[in-house]
Amino acid sequence: MTERTRGLAASQSGIGDILATERRSRRGAIFRLVPVALAILVCGYVTGLFDGGRMADGIPAILTMTGEMIPPDFSRWRNWVGPMLDTVAMSVAGTALAVFFSVPLAFLAARNTSPNQATYHVARSVLNALRSIPELIMGIVFVAAVGFGMLPGVLALGLHSVGMVGKFFAEAIEHAHPAPIEAAAATGATRVQVITHGVLPQVLPNFFDVSMYRWEYNFRASTVMGMVGAGGIGTELVGSLRLLDYPQVAALLLLILLAVTLVDGLSNLLRRRFG
């Protein structure tokens, strides 16, 4: 056997080993996905997702309600401008509150910047606790505490957002490249200086992106905060629903859709400009 023949045989053997490893990996992935697929099917069955008869019975009701919404009634649009502006203000203030508290919590909840394990676990627990309580529940609590209006909506959106924004901030900090951090520490910089010069320049663009995405979410969430008495355009929507005034409901939904589209576009513009 010539050297070239031996080389080809070794190459083919190596390719065969790679393909065999790939096949084993694919089979392993399939076996791991089977219990996930079974869990999804069981949950779908338990919740009635596969109840075709019930789904079919609901279609005529949906079509009837849709027919009652046409044409939309915009006759009270002047009365909706103020609540819509309140909704925008609520989302901006809630997002700002979330970012304000999320930044220090994120540095305490990141393994590479937390001073010790106890602080790390406490900070993570705080973020988990805030994230686990829905903003509507927080809204009900704050309405009972401080009364009706935008303030309980801002507090509910802000504190709930801290749990998610702080988590994303902490993960961004943990994924920061260690070289600038080590270089700053090697110069004898203090912990604050290391964070300021070694970590922040790397994570600020990510912080800005997360803040903009959260503002988009908070605007959509603030449209329903009025359902618990927290003000905004949601109050008008709930009032129209209670009166069964479906043409005005349709008009309000279209207005909310337009506002959400504008907020998303503005958020994308700001991310391109400052991100």
Side-chain angles (χ1 to χ4, degrees):
M1 182 181 293
T2 65
E3 184 176 345
R4 181 179 180 182
T5 304
R6 286 196 297 270
L8 289 174
S11 176
Q12 291 174 354
S13 175
I15 293 173
D17 292 340
I18 293 173
L19 292 176
T21 302
E22 180 65 24
R23 283 194 294 269
R24 287 195 297 271
S25 176
R26 191 179 299 115
R27 285 196 297 268
I30 292 173
F31 289 141
R32 287 191 295 270
L33 286 175
V34 168
V36 176
L38 288 175
I40 293 173
L41 290 174
V42 170
C43 292
Y45 176 78
V46 171
T47 56
L49 184 61
F50 306 129
D51 190 347
R54 188 175 179 183
M55 290 283 195
D57 291 340
I59 292 176
I62 294 174
L63 294 176
T64 300
M65 184 179 296
T66 303
E68 293 176 355
M69 289 182 174
I70 300 173
D73 180 11
F74 289 94
S75 60
R76 297 184 61 247
W77 69 270
R78 291 181 181 84
N79 297 329
W80 301 336
V81 174
M84 181 57 73
L85 293 177
D86 291 345
T87 298
V88 174
M90 198 187 311
S91 66
V92 171
T95 304
L97 183 68
V99 172
F100 179 80
F101 286 109
S102 293
V103 171
L105 270 174
F107 283 104
L108 296 176
R111 291 185 183 275
N112 54 340
T113 55
S114 185
N116 51 62
Q117 284 294 314
T119 303
Y120 167 81
H121 288 296
V122 169
R124 283 283 177 170
S125 299
V126 171
L127 294 178
N128 291 338
L130 293 173
R131 193 166 60 249
S132 66
I133 306 174
E135 60 265 21
L136 281 178
I137 302 300
M138 285 190 176
I140 294 172
V141 172
F142 284 121
V143 164
V146 301
F148 295 99
M150 289 187 290
L151 179 58
V154 171
L155 295 175
L157 291 173
L159 291 182
H160 176 75
S161 296
V162 168
M164 188 60 70
V165 174
K167 180 177 183 291
F168 285 136
F169 282 6
E171 291 179 354
I173 294 168
E174 289 182 344
H175 287 90
H177 199 281
I181 302 173
E182 293 170 356
T187 63
T190 64
R191 179 181 293 273
V192 174
Q193 290 172 330
V194 169
I195 291 173
T196 303
H197 299 287
V199 180
L200 273 179
Q202 298 188 65
V203 300
L204 277 179
N206 189 280
F207 280 15
F208 187 80
D209 284 345
V210 170
S211 300
M212 288 296 99
Y213 282 124
R214 194 63 195 185
W215 177 44
E216 296 174 22
Y217 173 85
N218 280 342
F219 180 80
R220 289 187 289 269
S222 63
T223 59
V224 298
M225 291 303 293
M227 295 183 179
V228 296
I233 197 67
T235 303
E236 298 290 333
L237 182 61
V238 170
S240 298
L241 283 170
R242 287 175 177 170
L243 295 173
L244 303 181
D245 192 346
Y246 293 122
Q248 283 201 12
V249 170
L252 284 164
L253 291 176
L254 290 173
L255 179 63
I256 292 171
L257 174 61
L258 175 63
V260 167
T261 303
L262 292 175
V263 167
D264 288 351
L266 179 59
S267 175
N268 291 331
L269 178 63
L270 291 173
R271 279 199 300 272
R272 288 195 298 267
R273 183 69 60 87
F274 300 105

